[in-house]
């Protein structure tokens, strides 16, 4: 009975023993192949086969395998793995007098130097990363600070028109017009006007582009503005100013109200309607000088045609009306008539000429009837260096270049632009 039990135990133990022996042998085969690839400088294949050998090992069995593992991983720059195998080598190798042992010592030193270099490099990378993170946080902080400060420099307007020599321009906000200087300071708050006419140092703000009922006049140089009297005060039948001509540097403004047989001629400097002449004595003079044939009251006869004499536009030019319809203009110095069908509208006289509207186009007419296309506008050219830059939200920043740097401007305050502020 006892012998049978012994036989059964051996029967169970024999396959385990044989299996263990087989793993060792298989591992040894793979180690030899890995060595062969290593000595043939096929490092990738050598590592691949070495890893297969490891699958048949419970641990590193001897210094030979440890040495091979050291060298393969060293060649693949896997220095921490190489160091582990090197340590196994020194634990497993009993003979410390061989050249092989000295070679492995040299290799271990090289491995350790590579690891030290790697650790130092990682340390420097971490220092750099921390420095960059700190710099990024600093830059983000500066950007946040600039954004906070820049809110004080926002110009909340919808649009800005051309600046003149007085550093002033009309601006629009919520459908209303005001006047601003090139530092973003409002000199005239937005009012209920949506159209403007700027010329010769004056700007007229109108409640509508055609046939306005309200006109606000502003003098750029004196920085004074006022509302013109209602047109009904000039003529009770008039409901609007009609055609509004350009204001002139001498303050003369001419408009052509509806339901009136006289132009509205206003002096913006004295803030008053132009005074009429002693018409009776004036007409006597015209008849004496053969400019007119006859007259009665405000009517004159020229070329056998009875016409009504209106207001003087300037330089001796008077309006002429026929049956309450504007007929043209009379030059009382030479008797020449300028037919309204060609000379549609004449504006105020200044600096030797009238503004002339002919077929919707603007010209300039002197007292001899000579027409030209251009005239000197005393608004002048803008000499400053403010730039109004529209932002995506529709508002504006004012930029000025000072000593080669761009600044945001509002009044007397200045802020470097974002890029230069952060830099």
């Amino acid at each position: 009975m006892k012998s049978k039990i012994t036989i059964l135990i051996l029967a169970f133990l024999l396959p385990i023993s044989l299996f263990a022996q087989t793993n060792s042998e298989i591992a040894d085969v793979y180690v030899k192949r890995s060595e062969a690839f290593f000595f043939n400088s096929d490092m990738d294949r050598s590592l691949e086969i070495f890893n297969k050998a490891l699958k048949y090992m419970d641990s590193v069995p001897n210094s030979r395998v440890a040495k091979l593992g050291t060298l393969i991983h060293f060649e693949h720059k896997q220095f921490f793995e190489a160091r582990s195998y090197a340590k196994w080598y020194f634990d497993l190798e009993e003979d410390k007098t061989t050249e092989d042992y000295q070679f492995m010592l040299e290799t271990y030193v090289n491995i350790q130097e590579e690891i030290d270099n790697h650790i130092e490099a990682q340390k420097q990378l971490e220092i750099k990363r921390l420095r960059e993170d700190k710099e990024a946080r600093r830059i983000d902080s500066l950007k946040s600070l600039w954004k906070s400060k820049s809110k004080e420099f926002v110009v909340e307007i919808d649009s800005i028109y051309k600046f003149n020599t007085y550093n002033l321009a009309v601006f629009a906000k919520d459908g209303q017009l005001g006047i601003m200087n090139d530092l973003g300071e409002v000199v005239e708050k937005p009012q209920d006007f949506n159209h403007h006419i700027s010329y010769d140092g004056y700007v007229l703000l109108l409640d509508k582009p055609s046939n306005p009922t309200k006109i606000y006049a502003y003098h750029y140089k004196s920085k004074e503005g006022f509302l013109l009297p209602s047109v009904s005060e000039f003529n009770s039948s008039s409901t609007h100013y009609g055609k509004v001509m350009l204001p002139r540097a001498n303050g003369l403004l001419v408009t052509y109200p509806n339901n009136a047989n006289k132009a509205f001629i206003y002096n913006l400097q004295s803030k008053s309607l132009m005074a009429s002449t002693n018409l009776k004595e004036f007409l006597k003079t015209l008849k004496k000088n053969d400019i007119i044939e006859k007259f009665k009251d405000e009517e004159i006869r020229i070329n056998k045609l009875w016409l009504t004499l209106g207001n003087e536009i300037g330089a001796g030019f008077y309006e002429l009306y026929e049956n309450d319809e504007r007929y043209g203009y009379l030059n009382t110095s030479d008797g020449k008539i300028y037919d309204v069908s060609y000379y549609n509208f004449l504006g105020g006289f200044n600096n030797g000429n009238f503004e002339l509207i002919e077929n919707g186009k603007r010209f300039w007419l002197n007292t001899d009837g000579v027409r030209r296309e251009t005239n000197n506008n005393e608004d002048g050219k803008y000499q400053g260096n403010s730039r109004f830059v529209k932002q995506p939200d529709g508002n504006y920043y004012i930029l000025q270049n000072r000593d080669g740097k761009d600044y945001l401007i509002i009044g007397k305050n200045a802020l470097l632009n974002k890029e230069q502020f952060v830099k």
Side-chain angles (χ1 to χ4, degrees):
M1 184 67 178
K2 185 177 181 180
S3 62
K4 288 183 178 180
I5 292 173
T6 302
I7 292 170
L8 286 172
I9 293 172
L10 290 172
F12 280 107
L13 290 176
L14 184 60
I16 296 173
S17 176
L18 288 174
F19 182 72
Q21 188 177 10
T22 300
N23 280 349
S24 175
E25 290 173 348
I26 292 172
D28 190 55
V29 171
Y30 278 126
V31 168
K32 289 178 180 179
R33 288 183 181 179
S34 178
E35 286 176 334
F37 283 119
F38 181 84
F39 289 118
N40 286 326
S41 299
D42 191 345
M43 299 303 168
D44 291 339
R45 192 80 173 113
S46 177
L47 179 60
E48 178 186 349
I49 300 302
F50 183 81
N51 288 331
K52 287 185 177 181
L54 293 178
K55 294 179 182 179
Y56 294 92
M57 301 176 188
D58 294 331
S59 62
V60 177
N62 51 54
S63 62
R64 173 190 170 195
V65 173
K67 175 185 176 182
L68 180 60
T70 301
L71 299 179
I72 292 175
H73 287 89
F74 183 70
E75 290 295 330
H76 281 86
K77 300 186 183 303
Q78 297 173 357
F79 302 117
F80 288 94
E81 291 85 348
R83 184 173 64 177
S84 295
Y85 280 103
K87 288 180 178 180
W88 276 323
Y89 172 84
F90 296 125
D91 289 341
L92 295 169
E93 180 59 52
E94 296 178 357
D95 189 355
K96 305 184 186 314
T97 62
T98 63
E99 291 184 4
D100 200 44
Y101 190 87
Q102 292 300 315
F103 169 76
M104 288 300 290
L105 278 176
E106 289 286 339
T107 302
Y108 182 84
V109 171
N110 292 338
I111 292 170
Q112 189 59 51
E113 287 178 348
E114 292 290 349
I115 289 174
D116 291 343
N117 291 339
H118 173 78
I119 292 173
E120 181 61 26
Q122 291 301 310
K123 180 180 178 182
Q124 294 302 319
L125 286 174
E126 180 64 10
I127 291 173
K128 180 181 178 184
R129 184 188 68 78
L130 292 173
R131 187 186 300 118
E132 289 175 348
D133 286 348
K134 182 179 179 181
E135 178 66 8
R137 289 193 299 271
R138 187 184 74 87
I139 289 175
D140 287 343
S141 176
L142 286 172
K143 288 180 178 178
S144 178
L145 177 61
W146 185 91
K147 184 177 181 180
S148 176
K149 286 180 174 291
S150 69
K151 292 178 181 178
E152 302 172 12
F153 293 81
V154 173
V155 182
E156 295 181 346
I157 59 176
D158 298 327
S159 60
I160 187 83
Y161 293 91
K162 187 177 180 181
F163 279 91
N164 56 32
T165 191
Y166 305 101
N167 299 337
L168 297 174
V170 173
F171 72 92
K173 175 65 176 176
D174 297 330
Q176 297 184 325
L177 298 182
I179 301 172
M180 175 181 290
N181 66 21
D182 64 344
L183 300 178
E185 297 170 325
V186 175
V187 297
E188 281 288 339
K189 293 181 179 179
Q191 302 180 58
D192 193 18
F193 300 103
N194 58 30
H195 183 69
H196 77 282
I197 299 173
S198 181
Y199 199 78
D200 263 2
Y202 287 92
V203 62
L204 306 177
L205 303 181
L206 315 178
D207 61 349
K208 48 187 175 180
S210 300
N211 302 326
T213 61
K214 291 193 299 181
I215 299 178
Y216 186 88
Y218 184 85
H219 188 220
Y220 284 127
K221 187 174 183 180
S222 66
K223 294 182 174 60
E224 293 181 351
F226 63 96
L227 188 67
L228 266 65
S230 171
V231 68
S232 61
E233 294 181 22
F234 166 72
N235 186 308
S236 59
S237 299
S238 297
T239 58
H240 58 73
Y241 289 96
K243 177 67 176 178
V244 179
M245 307 301 287
L246 294 179
R248 302 306 302 275
N250 59 3
L252 200 59
L253 172 65
V254 176
T255 83
Y256 293 88
N258 66 326
N259 304 324
N261 59 359
K262 288 184 179 181
F264 177 87
I265 303 175
Y266 196 82
N267 190 318
L268 299 173
Q269 291 182 354
S270 63
K271 301 178 184 178
S272 62
L273 287 167
M274 294 295 291
S276 58
T277 58
N278 186 329
L279 189 58
K280 186 175 181 179
E281 293 302 318
F282 179 62
L283 293 178
K284 286 181 180 180
T285 302
L286 293 182
K287 184 177 183 305
K288 181 180 178 180
N289 294 335
D290 295 326
I291 300 299
I292 61 176
E293 298 166 357
K294 291 182 179 181
F295 68 91
K296 58 179 179 179
D297 297 329
E298 295 181 355
E299 290 187 282
I300 60 175
R301 193 175 79 172
I302 302 177
N303 299 327
K304 300 181 181 180
L305 180 66
W306 283 96
L307 301 169
T308 300
L309 194 69
N311 281 333
E312 182 186 9
I313 303 299
F317 276 61
Y318 281 75
E319 299 174 276
L320 292 174
Y321 288 84
E322 182 183 25
N323 299 324
D324 294 331
E325 295 291 333
R326 202 154 42 85
Y327 180 83
Y329 302 91
L330 170 65
N331 184 349
T332 58
S333 65
D334 59 12
K336 183 178 179 180
I337 294 177
Y338 294 83
D339 194 317
V340 73
S341 62
Y342 191 77
Y343 301 91
N344 306 147
F345 296 95
L346 287 185
F349 182 82
N350 181 61
N351 198 26
N353 57 47
F354 300 91
E355 177 195 6
L356 165 65
I357 300 298
E358 179 186 302
N359 296 324
K361 295 182 179 180
R362 177 175 289 110
F363 299 96
W364 302 94
L365 186 75
N366 67 15
T367 54
D368 295 324
V370 178
R371 188 189 71 173
R372 55 191 177 88
E373 295 186 0
T374 59
N375 187 54
N376 180 45
N377 182 358
E378 294 193 19
D379 278 357
K381 292 184 178 181
Y382 176 58
Q383 302 296 323
N385 67 343
S386 289
R387 309 190 310 277
F388 278 65
V389 181
K390 194 167 189 176
Q391 302 304 302
D393 63 1
N395 292 316
Y396 285 78
Y397 281 136
I398 305 173
L399 293 181
Q400 282 189 359
N401 189 278
R402 298 179 177 180
D403 300 324
K405 294 181 179 180
D406 279 336
Y407 287 83
L408 271 63
I409 302 297
I410 195 75
K412 295 180 180 179
N413 298 323
L415 174 68
L416 269 172
N417 72 14
K418 186 176 182 180
E419 180 181 349
Q420 292 167 335
F421 179 87
V422 172
K423 187 177 180 179

